[in-house]
Amino acid sequence: MENNRYEIQRKINEDEFSTTFKAYDKKLNRYLCLKEYHDKNYFENLTNDLKYLSNLHHPNILEMYDLINSSNKCYLTYEIFDGISLDILFERKRVSESFLLDVLKKILLSLIYSENNGIFLGNLRIYNMIVDENDNFKIDIFKNFNGEHFGDSTAQLRFNITLLLEILEESNIDIVNSNLNNFYQKLRNYTFNDTQSIMKDLNEINYNKMPSSNNESIDNTIKLDLKNEHEKNMSYKIDENIFEEEIKNKKKSHNYLKYFLVYFTSVLLAFFAAAAIIFYYNSRPKAPDYVGKNLMLAVDQATANNIELVVDKSVSVDKSNYNKYVVIGQSPKVGEKLLFKKKIKVELGLEKENTMINLIGLNLKKAKKELSNLGLNVKKVRYKKSTVYDEGLIIDQSIEAGRKIQNGDFVTITVSSGKIKRKETVDDEYTPPEENERPNEDENDNSSVDNNDSNSNNNQESNNENTRKNDNSNSGE
C-alpha cells in the first residue's frame, strides 16, 4: 500500500463489504480514515460514484482524500472526525431544543450545498450524523455507503424528510410540547416541495423561545471557500446580523494589539539570543600553537590553560615517557576558537627520529623558519589559488607531515595566491626563477659537468703551449 505510507491505529467501523480504520499518513503527517474494501469488483463498481463525492467541500461534510486501487486490495481515504453518531448521543445525553435545531440547520445546509452541485447523496441515516464533545457537527457520507439510490434526484426530497423525522423522533425531547412541533407535523404530512423550503421554514423558528438556549454558542453563519463558478451563485448565510458592528471593531483592535505584542516579543527574544551567542563565541579562548613542541612540554602548557590534549585512540602512546614524542599537527588549528569543550586533537611523531611537521595553514616566513630548524632546504615555492586559505598561507607540501626526513632534504611548498572566485578556473602558477630558493638538482649536475669540460679543455691548451715552447728552444740550440 504505497510503500507502507499508512500506519493502522485502530478499527472504527465494519460492514458487509468493508472495514474502516483510523490510520496515520506518514507522508503528510496527519490522521485519517482508511476504508479497506474486501471485494475488488464491488469497489470498482463504486469508483465512479465516489469520484463525485471528491468534489464536495463543505464544513459539515467529511472531505474525501484519495482512492487507491492496488493489485491486492482497494482503499478509500477521507477526513477523520472524532465523535459519535446522533443515535448514540441521544442514548447517552439529554439534548436541548436549541442544539437539535442547530443540528437540523447544518444538515439542511449541507444537503442544499450538495444538490446545488448536482450531487444527490441518497438515503442518509441518523448514524451518518456525527457530533464531537464540543458539539461540532459533520456528516459521514462514506459510512455504509453502497451506491444505492445515489444520484436519484427525484427521491432525494423523500430521503431528506425521512432523515429529519428519524432524528426528531429518536431525540429525547418531547416534540409534541416543543417549539419544533409545527415543523415536525409538516414533515410528517410531506407539505414541502424541496429542501430549500424546509430550510426556510426551519429558519423561522425563534431561538429565544427555546429552553436552555445559548445564542452566543450558536454560529448561524456557515462560511465556505467557493471552489468554482457554479458555487459562486449560492448563498449559505442564514442570519447576517449576528454580531454587532461595535463588537467586531473591538475584537479587531484586540487582535491587532495581540499580533503586535507577539511580534515585538519574538524580535526581542531573537535579539537577546543572537547577542548571547556572539558574546559566548567572543569569550571563548583561541587554540595555542603546539606544533613542533615536545609532547611533555605541550601537555604542561595545555594543563596550565585548562586545555585537554587528545590523541587518536588508534595510536598507541607510551604514557610513561612523553619526552620521546613531538606534536606534528593539531585540530583546531592555531588561532581558531575553542567552543564547547576545550579539547585539542594532536598528531604525534617520535622525537628521536627526524619527522616532517605540518606546514599547512602557516605563512611562508614561518614555514621557512620551521624547515630551517629541521635542517631542510626549500627546493621550490609554487603559487596556486585556494578555496579555503587566504593569500600567503601554505596549502600543500611535497613531504607529508609525520614522514621521516634527513638533514639536507629538499622540500617543495605551495602557497595560496588568493581565494577562488566564482566561475574561476585554477591553474598552477610558478614563481619567476629569481624567487626560487634553490635550483633544481638536475641544474646543479649539468653545471658541474660543464665546468669539468671547460677545465679539461683549458688544461689541454696549456699542455700544447708548453710543448711548442720546448720545441722552439731545442731548435735554437
Side-chain angles (χ1 to χ4, degrees):
M1 181 172 55
E2 199 171 342
N3 297 327
N4 297 323
R5 172 179 174 179
Y6 301 102
E7 180 181 315
I8 302 299
Q9 301 288 323
R10 60 179 175 86
K11 183 166 71 174
I12 299 176
N13 184 47
E14 186 173 10
D15 55 34
E16 182 181 357
F17 301 101
S18 63
T19 305
T20 305
F21 301 93
K22 179 180 180 180
Y24 179 69
D25 187 348
K26 292 184 280 188
K27 182 176 181 180
L28 297 179
N29 296 329
R30 65 179 178 184
Y31 289 95
L32 47 75
C33 287
L34 188 144
K35 191 169 187 176
E36 178 184 345
Y37 288 87
H38 310 315
D39 189 345
K40 186 178 182 67
N41 294 330
Y42 178 78
F43 173 80
E44 291 176 349
N45 292 333
L46 292 178
T47 300
N48 291 332
D49 295 339
L50 291 172
K51 288 180 180 179
Y52 284 107
L53 298 180
S54 66
N55 295 318
L56 295 179
H57 308 285
H58 192 278
N60 297 123
I61 300 177
L62 292 184
E63 187 103 1
M64 177 177 164
Y65 292 153
D66 198 5
L67 291 173
I68 304 171
N69 190 353
S70 63
S71 58
N72 298 326
K73 295 183 180 179
C74 306
Y75 302 92
L76 162 68
T77 60
Y78 59 95
E79 176 187 0
I80 191 168
F81 183 70
D82 291 325
I84 59 175
S85 58
L86 281 181
D87 54 336
I88 299 177
L89 177 68
F90 293 153
E91 295 176 0
R92 297 180 180 180
K93 178 181 177 182
R94 184 173 184 83
V95 298
S96 63
E97 293 181 23
S98 60
F99 170 80
L100 193 59
L101 178 62
D102 186 55
V103 168
L104 294 176
K105 285 184 176 182
K106 290 178 179 179
I107 293 174
L108 287 171
L109 282 173
S110 304
L111 295 174
I112 292 172
Y113 165 80
S114 301
E115 293 173 10
N116 286 341
N117 280 273
I119 299 175
F120 301 93
L121 300 175
N123 188 15
L124 293 175
R125 301 294 303 277
I126 189 173
Y127 51 71
N128 295 105
M129 312 296 130
I130 312 297
V131 181
D132 69 1
E133 58 183 3
N134 297 318
D135 292 342
N136 297 313
F137 175 79
K138 294 274 188 179
I139 300 179
D140 186 353
I141 57 178
F142 307 102
K143 188 175 183 180
N144 297 334
F145 179 80
N146 55 13
E148 185 178 356
H149 303 296
F150 181 77
D152 189 351
S153 58
T154 57
Q156 187 63 58
L157 177 62
R158 176 170 54 86
F159 291 142
N160 295 345
I161 293 176
T162 303
L163 171 65
L164 298 178
L165 287 173
E166 183 181 15
I167 293 174
L168 289 170
E169 290 171 356
E170 293 202 16
S171 65
N172 44 32
I173 65 173
D174 186 3
I175 299 294
V176 177
N177 297 320
S178 70
N179 293 308
L180 296 170
N181 183 43
N182 291 333
F183 175 73
Y184 172 70
Q185 297 302 329
K186 289 181 181 180
L187 287 175
R188 292 189 61 183
N189 296 328
Y190 288 88
T191 57
F192 298 105
N193 297 323
D194 52 30
T195 307
Q196 293 186 1
S197 62
I198 301 176
M199 182 67 211
K200 183 178 179 181
D201 190 83
L202 188 64
N203 201 35
E204 293 176 356
I205 301 176
N206 192 350
Y207 269 107
N208 295 324
K209 294 181 180 180
M210 293 187 173
S212 304
S213 63
N214 187 358
N215 292 335
E216 294 182 356
S217 64
I218 300 173
D219 184 6
N220 288 337
T221 302
I222 298 179
K223 299 178 181 179
L224 296 175
D225 293 329
L226 299 182
K227 302 296 180 182
N228 49 49
E229 292 294 328
H230 181 71
E231 290 178 286
K232 289 184 179 179
N233 299 324
M234 290 184 272
S235 175
Y236 304 99
K237 289 188 177 181
I238 304 171
D239 183 6
E240 297 181 353
N241 299 317
I242 297 175
F243 301 104
E244 296 181 359
E245 192 69 25
E246 182 178 356
I247 297 176
K248 289 183 178 179
N249 294 334
K250 287 182 179 180
K251 188 174 181 180
K252 187 180 294 184
S253 61
H254 175 72
N255 289 337
Y256 287 152
L257 179 60
K258 181 175 68 175
Y259 295 150
F260 172 76
L261 291 176
V262 172
Y263 175 77
F264 179 77
T265 305
S266 301
V267 172
L268 195 62
L269 290 175
F271 173 78
F272 281 116
I277 293 173
I278 294 173
F279 175 78
Y280 174 80
Y281 181 79
N282 291 332
S283 63
R284 300 303 297 169
K286 294 182 179 180
D289 186 6
Y290 296 116
V291 177
K293 294 182 179 180
N294 180 272
L295 179 59
M296 180 63 74
L297 177 61
V299 170
D300 292 340
Q301 292 180 356
T303 304
N305 295 321
N306 294 325
I307 297 175
E308 181 182 357
L309 297 185
V310 181
V311 183
D312 191 348
K313 294 181 179 179
S314 61
V315 179
S316 59
V317 178
D318 185 6
K319 297 183 179 180
S320 63
N321 188 8
Y322 282 169
N323 285 320
K324 67 178 183 179
Y325 300 101
V326 64
V327 179
I328 61 174
Q330 68 178 66
S331 177
K333 297 179 181 179
V334 179
E336 293 183 358
K337 292 285 187 178
L338 300 176
L339 296 179
F340 302 104
K341 295 182 179 180
K342 297 171 67 174
K343 290 185 178 181
I344 297 179
K345 186 176 180 179
V346 295
E347 300 176 22
L348 303 179
L350 293 177
E351 182 73 46
K352 65 181 180 179
E353 297 180 359
N354 291 327
T355 55
M356 184 62 181
I357 65 172
N358 183 28
L359 302 176
I360 308 301
L362 302 180
N363 58 47
L364 181 58
K365 183 178 179 181
K366 187 172 182 180
K368 289 181 177 180
K369 183 179 179 181
E370 295 292 343
L371 291 175
S372 177
N373 293 336
L374 293 174
L376 301 179
N377 300 311
V378 178
K379 178 180 179 181
K380 186 178 291 186
V381 179
R382 302 170 59 192
Y383 288 83
K384 183 178 179 180
K385 287 190 175 292
S386 171
T387 58
V388 178
Y389 293 96
D390 294 327
E391 183 178 359
L393 300 180
I394 307 299
I395 62 174
D396 193 17
Q397 58 191 76
S398 60
I399 302 178
E400 297 178 355
R403 290 183 55 185
K404 294 181 180 181
I405 56 176
Q406 295 180 359
N407 190 22
D409 283 349
F410 286 91
V411 180
T412 299
I413 55 178
T414 305
V415 182
S416 171
S417 60
K419 287 189 176 180
I420 298 175
K421 298 180 180 178
R422 289 184 177 177
K423 298 181 180 180
E424 183 179 355
T425 58
V426 181
D427 296 326
D428 290 345
E429 298 180 4
Y430 297 91
T431 58
E434 59 270 18
E435 293 185 15
N436 290 335
E437 296 295 329
R438 285 179 175 272
N440 290 334
E441 293 177 348
D442 295 340
E443 295 175 0
N444 291 333
D445 296 340
N446 292 335
S447 61
S448 62
V449 171
D450 293 340
N451 291 333
N452 293 333
D453 291 342
S454 61
N455 291 334
S456 61
N457 291 333
N458 292 333
N459 293 332
Q460 183 66 30
E461 290 178 0
S462 61
N463 293 332
N464 294 335
E465 183 65 25
N466 292 330
T467 304
R468 284 197 298 270
K469 289 181 180 179
N470 294 329
D471 292 341
N472 289 333
S473 61
N474 293 329
S475 62
E477 292 176 356

